[in-house]
Amino acid sequence: MLIDRVENFTRDVSDGENYTILLNQLKPEQCSKAPLQTSDLHQRAEQVLDNADKIGCRRFLTPNSLVGGNPKLNLAFVANLFNNHPGLAPLEEAEAPPEIEDFDAEGEREARVFTLWLNSLDVEPGVWNFFENLKVSRCFVIREEELMSGRSYPTSRIRQGYPRFSNLATSI
């Protein structure tokens, strides 16, 4: 019973037909559609897993767990499959994401938290090395001038996940 859209990892994949099509689409030269011709579900499941083994992705599932529709094992199988074979074309140079600058707060927790807080305030220039920026102190002077000028800070930008900064909105 091949369906167009898999909505769960139990009955929708338990017959192995969707896995057969998926494996064939990811690696058509290695994974055939032959399991679709098999009527016995356990034999079909073994053939599907043999196809997965050909591309190095036979982990987490056994024929019994596939036919039984174990949702956690099926999800782990699909996650492993797409981690190894995402089925995506390589990005063109124009589509490549920009380089991310390395974060360097010299390993001190407080410096890292303060640096992240300053960057969340949209301080220009950004703070990437707390101690080097402290030597220059330009970004800190800019932030102090903004605070002293009475410019209000949008309290919606303060995340509730940081208990040390929960009262920051009232103090600013």
Side-chain angles (χ1 to χ4, degrees), residues 62-128:
T62 63
N64 288 336
S65 60
L66 194 152
V67 172
N70 186 320
K72 291 181 181 177
L73 293 177
N74 277 303
L75 178 62
F77 174 76
V78 171
N80 180 50
L81 182 64
F82 281 112
N83 278 334
N84 291 310
H85 305 282
L88 301 172
L91 291 175
E92 299 293 327
E93 197 169 314
E95 298 173 321
E99 284 288 323
I100 297 174
E101 293 182 33
D102 287 337
F103 177 81
D104 184 15
E106 303 206 5
E108 292 192 24
R109 184 176 176 189
E110 290 80 10
R112 177 174 162 72
V113 170
F114 195 68
T115 302
L116 292 171
W117 174 69
L118 280 173
N119 284 331
S120 74
L121 301 176
D122 293 328
V123 173
E124 287 297 328
V127 180
W128 298 107

Side-chain angles (χ1 to χ4, degrees), residues 6 8 19 22 42-43 54 67 73 80 103 113 133 137 161:
V6 174
N8 60 57
Y19 281 153
L22 175 63
H42 286 282
Q43 284 181 339
K54 291 176 186 174
V67 172
L73 293 177
N80 180 50
F103 177 81
V113 170
N133 287 111
S137 72

